[in-house]
Structures are given as C-alpha cells and as structure tokens.
Amino acid sequence: MDWGTELWDQCDIIDKHTQSGLDLVEKYVKFVKERTEIEQNYAKQLRNLTKKYSPKRGSKEELECRFSNHQAFLDILNEMNDYAGQRELIAENMMINICIELTKYLQELKQERKTHLSEAKKAQQSLEGTYKQLDNSKKRFEREWREAEKAAQYAEKTDQDLNATKADVEKAKQQAHMRTHIAEECKNDYALQLQKYNKEQNQFYFTDMPLIFSRLQDMDERRIKKLAQGYILFADTERQVMPIIGKCLEGISRAGTNVNEKNDSVVLIEQHKSGFERPGDVEFEDYSQGINRASSDSSLGTPKGPLELLGKNRNKTFRLFNKKSKLPSSSLSPFSTPPTPSPANGPPSPKFGRDPLSYCLKEINKTVKPRISSFRTLKRTSVDTEGFTHLPPEQRRKRLQQKIDDISKELQKEMDQSEALGKMKDVYEKNPQMGDPASLAPQITQTAQNMERLRGELNKYESWLAEAGGRGDSIRYSTHSLNNNGAHNPNSPGAISDDTDSSQAIYTEFDDDFEEEEVAAPIGQCTALYNFPGSSEGTISMQEGEVLSVVEEDKGDGWTRVRRNNGDEGYIPTSYATITLNK
C-alpha cells in the first residue's frame, strides 16, 4: 500500500503528516541537547565535588594518606573523577552522533519536502488552468449555441412573415447560418478543451500526484528510520561507556576492600611512637624521718620526659597537677633532680637531724625556683629543629634517617654531575675544536663545593643518629669515587673500567651544546582495554590489547603518559588501560 494509490485525494493530510514528522525530529534533537547539558552539568558538579574533597598539596590530609582508609577515600575521589569523564564522554557522543547528525538530516528532509510539495502545487495549478480554459470554452459554446438558436428561430419567423421581403428573409437565413457555424466551432473547441483537460486530469491523478506522494512516503519512511536509529543511539551511547563505568565502580569497591584497620593502627604507632618509658610508681615520702624527695629511676628520671609528659598528658596521667597542692614539694618533685633514694624506714640523713621541716623549705627554695623560671621561659626560647631534638626519640630517629637518605640522594646527583663534567673536560682536552676545557672549571669547582657541603651535612646527621640510638644503615654512596677535581677515580669500587675508549663509549653522538634530551626511564607498563584514537594534541593512539610503557603516572587529572617501543610518547585516558607500576 502506498500513499499515491490510497491517499490520492488527501494532499492536505499528507502535508500535515510530513510536517508533524519533521517537528518530531526537531523535538527529539532538543530533548537530546538538554540531556547532554544535564550530563555536562552533572560531570562538572562531580569534578567540583572531587576537587573540593581532594587534599591540598602539603596539607595535613595529604600526610594522612598513608592510612589505608584515607588512601581508599582518595581512590574513590579518583574513580569519581574518571566517572565524571565518562559522563562528559556520553554528552559529547550524544551531541555528535545524535544532535548534529539529526539536525543536518532534518535540513535535508525539509528541503526535499519543500521540493515535492512545490511540484505538487505546480501540477495542481496546471490542472486548474486547463479546467478554466475548459470552462471558458464551455460557456462560449453555450452562449453561441443559444445565439444560433435565436437566429434560426428569427429566420424561420421571417420566412413565414408575409410582409417580409425576400431580402430580409435571405439576410435572416444568412445570420442564422453564420451563428450556427460559430456555434459549431465553439463546440469543437469545447470538445478539444475537454479532451485536453481529461488527459491532464488523468495524468495528474494517476501519474503525477501518486509519484509525488510516493516520494513523500519514501521521505517520511527514511525519516522514521533515521529517528529510530537516533533512539537506539541514545541507549548505545551510554551502553558503550558502561564497561568503563563498571570498572570505576569496581575500583570504588576495591578501595573499600583494601582498607586494613590493623595496618592503619600499626602506621599510627610508627608515626607517633615517642620511645619514652612509662612513668613508674612514686615513692612514699616519710616526713616523720625527714623529707625523701627521691623518686624511682624509672619514673621521672628520663631526661626531658617529665616535661613533655606534663605538657601532653596534663589532664590524663598526672592527676596530681589538676589541683593546686597545699604542699609545694609534692607538685615540684618532677622538676627536681632526684638524689640517690634512701632505704625505706632507714635512718634519716644527718642533714635532717635537727630540723627536717626547715631543711625541706630551704631545698624547695633552692631547687624549685630555677626550674619554674626555666619552665616559664620555655616558650620563649627557640627550638633546635635542625637536629630534631624537639621530637620524641623514636620520631627523631625516623626524621634523622629520612634526612640522611635525602642528603645521600642529593650527594649522588652531585657526584654524577661531577663525573659527567670530568668526562666532558677530557673530551674537550682531546678535541679542542669542541670546546674550551677551562670553561668547565667554575662548574667543576661549584660541584666539588656542593659535594663537600653535603658530605659534611651527611656526617653531622649520621652522628646525631648515632647519638639518638639509630642503626645508621643509610644508603651510602661511593663518595670517594671522585677526586677533588671532579675526575673519576679508577681505583674506587664503583669505578668504571677504562679499558675502552671513554670518548667513544660515552660520546657516540655529541652535539655542539651538549643538551641531548635524556629519555625518561619507564616506571611501569600498561595494557590497553579499549581502542583510543588519540586525535587530540598531546595524546597517542592505541589499540585494544596493546602493551605500552608508562613514563608518567596519573597526576589526578585522568591522563597517563606512555611510550611505544619506537619512541612515540603521548597521553592516554587512565581508565582505558590496566596499569602496573614497578615496585
């Protein structure tokens, strides 16, 4: 069934129906556009949310990321950031594949419909023009035939009139014959116009209009098919990113699984363990036999321990300090230097023989006032933070060990630079046209000074670590592999053999400015989960299953820098690959 046969007389209905179909396409395009705006706003709000709760660099929250529950929350924020990227991808694909495509197709359909309706209008106007000609010829024939009948009747009446002359009769007969001839011509013209109109009408209703209606039907069916494809794309666009969204959700679940409450407790202990011993029991002071202000060696005799315990646990451990004591000696014993304790119930000291109470007051005046004054000025004195003496023993050892490792790494860099300068100097001496060896002297001197300074700092921190009771098992580099001039010492354990030509081994390609860019060493590998075109600037394409080297890990923006075996580098979406970093 087609429109040309079944709807031959419903031109207005077809016109309205096709216009309604085009309006539906336009309405669907607007619907998808608003959906993309919602997706973009949703993704933007998600990114702002993750940015709001992401820790700032150097903040306290970033330092707490060593705990698994904090790190899991950061992983969740990263996964949500990737999830927001997938929502943006949905909006972008919908805009390109649905909105832009349907809008372009809609313009083509409008132009095609306009053309078909214009052809139908022309055909209808032509048929109406032919019908007007037919109607005019019919009316003329009718008028002339009536005139011919009147002329015939007048001629017959004149012929029967006895008073009419022969000339009048002849004239009337001629007039009637002329009118009859004109009527016959009008009749023939009317017949020709009728035949022409019927032919055009048959052409109009059986050929032209069915063809136009069939084209409009074909156009409308193509529109419906294209719109149905748009409906399918609406679901497929989101279905395509479902695997990646699923991986994001799996990552969130994995972050929750990776939380280890026991390990977090151990990390807290390692981070804040002070190394102090717990205070022992306070000895009984028998005033009946004299004042015994001594306390056990294990209670308050640890240097600096009571002061810190007093400051940190004032309301927890030392209940003695919560209220002012009537006897100052009981509250001041932590600040006094403990003498050798006397046996319990033993003989009193000779110093207490006559007046124990007066001796007690003297001792309080002598020992307590300086301690109180020094305690008051404790806040005003500067703390020696270089040696980390303000930290508890355990934390001090960790900070000293960390500082030694940092200095050792910096010293190794300076040594590598000094070695490179020495080799460059040798090349200049052997090939003067490449450069002046004397131009490297300031750099060699500066490097040697930096090395001496770092060695001094390293020795200083190692001595502090030994005083703090540390193991001192820091990474020691071959600091004696270079002589004072920055040249390489072949007798050192870490030295490189000079059996081969040094200039040939090192300077295979030596440019004028010695600024050959060093290729960053890979820090891991990744396997592509999906195809990525890499059409944007700075990105690199990859195929599903392709293995690439990871050069720079994700910094939180959802992109990872990778390199192929041929040296091509670029960025790929982190969620498009499985990344394994070297340990």
Side-chain angles (χ1 to χ4, degrees), residues 285-304:
E285 299 180 4
D286 191 355
Y287 288 97
S288 63
Q289 297 182 8
I291 294 180
N292 181 5
R293 295 182 295 110
S295 59
S296 61
D297 294 337
S298 61
S299 61
L300 301 175
T302 306
K304 300 182 350 181

Side-chain angles (χ1 to χ4, degrees), residues 284-293 327 329 342-349 351-357 360:
F284 175 74
E285 299 180 4
D286 191 355
Y287 288 97
S288 63
Q289 297 182 8
I291 294 180
N292 181 5
R293 295 182 295 110
L327 292 177
S329 62
S342 62
N345 299 325
S349 173
K351 298 179 181 179
F352 307 149
R354 297 181 179 178
D355 193 358
L357 184 59
C360 173

Side-chain angles (χ1 to χ4, degrees), residues 246-500:
K247 288 186 177 296
C248 294
L249 299 178
E250 290 176 4
I252 294 176
S253 300
R254 188 165 53 252
T257 307
N258 293 337
V259 174
N260 189 334
E261 62 277 7
K262 298 296 183 182
N263 185 60
D264 286 359
S265 299
V266 173
V267 170
L268 182 65
I269 293 173
E270 293 295 330
Q271 183 176 355
H272 297 287
K273 182 180 179 182
S274 65
F276 290 132
E277 295 182 0
R278 299 179 184 178
D281 296 336
V282 179
E283 291 187 0
F284 175 74
E285 299 180 4
D286 191 355
Y287 288 97
S288 63
Q289 297 182 8
I291 294 180
N292 181 5
R293 295 182 295 110
S295 59
S296 61
D297 294 337
S298 61
S299 61
L300 301 175
T302 306
K304 300 182 350 181
L307 282 176
E308 297 186 6
L309 289 174
L310 175 62
K312 296 180 180 179
N313 305 311
R314 190 180 185 104
N315 296 323
K316 296 179 181 179
T317 304
F318 291 91
R319 301 293 182 183
L320 190 61
F321 295 97
N322 287 343
K323 297 181 180 179
K324 292 183 179 180
S325 177
K326 295 181 180 180
L327 292 177
S329 62
S330 62
S331 62
L332 297 174
S333 59
F335 301 98
S336 60
T337 304
T340 303
S342 62
N345 299 325
S349 173
K351 298 179 181 179
F352 307 149
R354 297 181 179 178
D355 193 358
L357 184 59
S358 61
Y359 178 79
C360 173
L361 295 177
K362 289 181 181 179
E363 289 299 317
I364 290 173
N365 292 331
K366 287 190 295 182
T367 60
V368 172
K369 289 183 179 180
R371 297 291 181 178
I372 293 178
S373 63
S374 62
F375 180 70
R376 290 175 179 174
T377 58
L378 185 61
K379 295 182 179 180
R380 296 194 295 266
T381 57
S382 60
V383 181
D384 180 18
T385 58
E386 184 181 10
F388 305 109
T389 56
H390 62 290
L391 297 176
E394 187 71 19
Q395 301 301 320
R396 184 190 181 199
R397 284 193 291 269
K398 290 182 180 180
R399 294 294 295 273
L400 288 173
Q401 185 65 47
Q402 181 182 0
K403 189 69 175 180
I404 289 173
D405 293 341
D406 295 341
I407 295 176
S408 299
K409 292 178 181 179
E410 188 175 355
L411 178 59
Q412 185 63 38
K413 292 180 181 179
E414 294 292 336
M415 291 166 58
D416 294 341
Q417 182 178 359
S418 179
E419 183 179 358
L421 290 172
K423 293 178 179 179
M424 190 181 299
K425 181 179 179 181
D426 293 340
V427 173
Y428 282 176
E429 291 175 351
K430 294 178 181 180
N431 303 289
Q433 68 276 7
M434 300 185 68
D436 184 12
S439 62
L440 301 177
Q443 299 182 31
I444 293 176
T445 303
Q446 182 63 37
T447 304
Q449 293 176 357
N450 293 339
M451 290 168 56
E452 290 299 325
R453 176 179 56 81
L454 292 174
R455 287 194 187 100
E457 292 184 0
L458 184 62
N459 294 333
K460 178 175 62 175
Y461 280 98
E462 285 179 345
S463 63
W464 284 341
L465 181 61
E467 292 176 2
R471 296 185 301 271
D473 52 350
S474 61
I475 302 175
R476 297 306 304 268
Y477 298 90
S478 54
T479 56
H480 301 289
S481 61
L482 300 176
N483 55 26
N484 293 333
N485 294 328
H488 190 67
N489 186 2
N491 298 325
S492 62
I496 302 175
S497 175
D498 292 335
D499 295 339
T500 58

